[in-house]
Amino acid sequence: MKHLSILIPDGQANLMKIVGTREIFELANEIFEDQGYDPVFTIQFVGCAQQHAFVRGFVSLTPELHFKEVDRTDLIIIPAIEEEEVDAFLVRNQSLLAWLINQYRLGAQIASLCTGTFLLAATGLLDRKQCSTHWTAADEFQKRFPKVKLVTSKIITEEKGLYTSAGSFSSFNLLLYLIEKLYDRPTAVICAKDLELDIDRRSQSPYVVFAGQKDHEDEGIRQVQDYIEANTGERLTVESLAAHFAISKRNLERRFKKATHNTPVEYIQRVKMEAAKKQLETSRKTINEVMYEVGYMDVKAFRTIFRKITGLSPLEYRAKYNEEY
């Protein structure tokens, strides 16, 4: 069985995220056991002190282990912190940084919830990687960690075994994402229904589906991916990408498929449809206007690809996710 460390750092962390994380993973274990499987994780609160106080001292939580007692763990969850106390928080938790780095080097995956990203970024592990955090903390985060690629438009990011989430309840979308990845999709769906969470909320992020596909060593292909995601309104083709990056079409297709497990055409379609979904969720633009903004001119082709990827027509999707319709 794998080991899950739910971190209780020294300072004002979000009690709801700490307890909620344990609840959702314990539920996932129970669902797995009901299906005749062994639980995936042993779950423990891992802290910096014998006891941690929350809510102005009215509530306390006792960790099962001090972090120095954990020689090896498989998954670490860092809860949200109170951003107005970042300086003092990082000073108090300086000793945690080396432990997090060492656990990651030993193979642990690390997920930060909301403003917990500050602690993860302080390790340096997020340098030159994408991450998200609460939008109200974005300016402060960028000042402190200029080497990190902050993308607050995304609800979830994943890169090289490091996960981050945007603010508030989107943290639970990250937890569902982890359960889907580390258990299976049916277990994540049951957890979402039991806790009355929207498992598909991460689809609000234009490119979250593709974050994991950048976990490869081909920097040239990562540049092509970034270019596709930054130019959703253009009529992109494999030929135009090959010309732009001075690479042969055949070589581009081969390397792209090897790195991302998608063809360039599939990748372009998925990125464009995610951008279209965001427009349908948040604007009153017509279907044709959305179609043109993501670089399509053929209504039939746009609708066909949209349904293929989302399972809904553009009108059905808008009715489901845009409150103004």
Side-chain angles (χ1 to χ4, degrees):
M1 207 177 340
K2 295 180 179 180
H3 185 264
L4 166 58
S5 298
I6 302 174
L7 195 61
I8 309 177
D10 185 4
Q12 288 301 308
N14 188 294
L15 178 62
M16 179 183 69
K17 302 288 173 55
I18 294 171
V19 176
T21 297
R22 181 153 195 158
E23 181 179 355
I24 196 169
F25 275 95
E26 286 182 344
L27 177 59
N29 272 348
E30 291 172 8
I31 293 167
F32 239 47
E33 287 185 282
D34 289 343
Q35 298 175 28
Y37 302 111
D38 292 331
V40 173
F41 284 106
T42 296
I43 306 166
Q44 291 184 302
F45 287 136
V46 175
C48 300
Q50 291 184 338
Q51 193 173 71
H52 292 267
F54 299 89
V55 195
R56 299 179 184 177
F58 293 113
V59 179
S60 63
L61 191 59
T62 303
E64 290 141 292
L65 292 171
H66 189 279
F67 75 90
K68 292 182 179 179
E69 299 177 278
V70 181
D71 295 324
R72 186 77 179 265
T73 189
D74 298 285
L75 176 62
I76 302 168
I77 307 290
I78 302 173
I81 67 171
E82 298 297 332
E83 61 193 80
E84 62 269 18
E85 298 182 4
V86 171
D87 285 324
F89 182 89
L90 293 178
V91 169
R92 284 199 298 268
N93 289 282
Q94 192 67 32
S95 59
L96 267 177
L97 303 182
W99 179 78
L100 288 169
I101 294 168
N102 184 55
Q103 290 301 321
Y104 181 70
R105 289 174 176 169
L106 290 173
Q109 300 184 75
I110 306 176
S112 64
L113 308 182
C114 191
T115 50
T117 315
F118 281 83
L119 183 60
L120 181 56
T123 64
L125 294 173
L126 285 176
D127 287 357
R128 294 173 294 281
K129 298 182 181 70
Q130 290 191 351
C131 82
S132 186
T133 191
H134 197 290
W135 64 271
T136 61
D139 290 343
E140 180 65 23
F141 186 92
Q142 288 181 316
K143 290 176 184 176
R144 290 176 180 273
F145 308 109
K147 294 181 181 180
V148 181
K149 299 176 182 178
L150 183 63
V151 282
T152 52
S153 60
K154 296 186 179 182
I155 289 179
I156 300 169
T157 69
E158 173 190 357
E159 194 165 349
K160 296 184 181 297
L162 300 172
Y163 306 82
T164 69
S165 70
S168 192
F169 291 98
S170 61
S171 297
F172 291 99
N173 292 101
L174 174 55
L175 298 178
L176 288 173
Y177 178 81
L178 290 170
I179 288 169
E180 181 175 348
K181 182 169 184 173
L182 302 174
Y183 292 73
D184 55 27
R185 172 74 177 184
T187 300
V189 170
I190 295 172
C191 286
K193 290 182 176 180
D194 189 276
L195 299 173
E196 299 186 17
L197 297 172
D198 185 355
I199 194 171
D200 291 322
R201 187 165 178 258
R202 67 177 181 268
S203 67
Q204 292 180 30
S205 171
Y207 313 121
V208 66
V209 174
F210 305 102
Q213 290 173 293
K214 292 182 180 176
D215 188 10
H216 56 76
E217 302 304 319
D218 195 328
E219 179 59 31
I221 294 303
R222 261 197 297 274
Q223 291 177 10
V224 177
Q225 292 173 272
D226 290 341
Y227 182 83
I228 292 170
E229 294 172 4
N231 293 276
T232 55
E234 301 298 320
R235 298 185 68 184
L236 301 173
T237 65
V238 181
E239 290 79 8
S240 68
L241 290 172
H244 182 83
F245 288 94
I247 184 174
S248 72
K249 177 184 174 184
R250 183 176 180 180
N251 195 20
L252 173 61
E253 290 177 323
R254 178 185 60 80
R255 287 171 57 188
F256 203 99
K257 180 72 172 180
K258 180 180 179 181
T260 71
H261 307 293
N262 280 128
T263 67
V265 171
E266 290 169 341
Y267 198 92
I268 291 167
Q269 290 176 346
R270 296 294 296 270
V271 169
K272 286 178 176 289
M273 292 306 107
E274 290 298 322
K277 285 160 62 178
K278 185 174 183 181
Q279 290 289 338
L280 292 170
E281 291 166 6
T282 60
S283 77
R284 297 182 62 85
K285 294 174 183 175
T286 67
I287 302 302
N288 281 357
E289 287 174 329
V290 171
M291 177 186 74
Y292 296 143
E293 285 202 11
V294 296
Y296 279 83
M297 304 299 291
D298 186 326
V299 176
K300 183 178 180 181
F302 174 72
R303 293 177 188 272
T304 299
I305 295 169
F306 191 93
R307 182 179 285 279
K308 177 183 176 182
I309 291 174
T310 68
L312 299 170
S313 72
L315 283 174
E316 290 169 337
Y317 189 89
R318 164 166 275 168
K320 183 176 179 67
Y321 290 108
N322 193 317
E323 65 179 9
E324 296 185 10
Y325 284 82

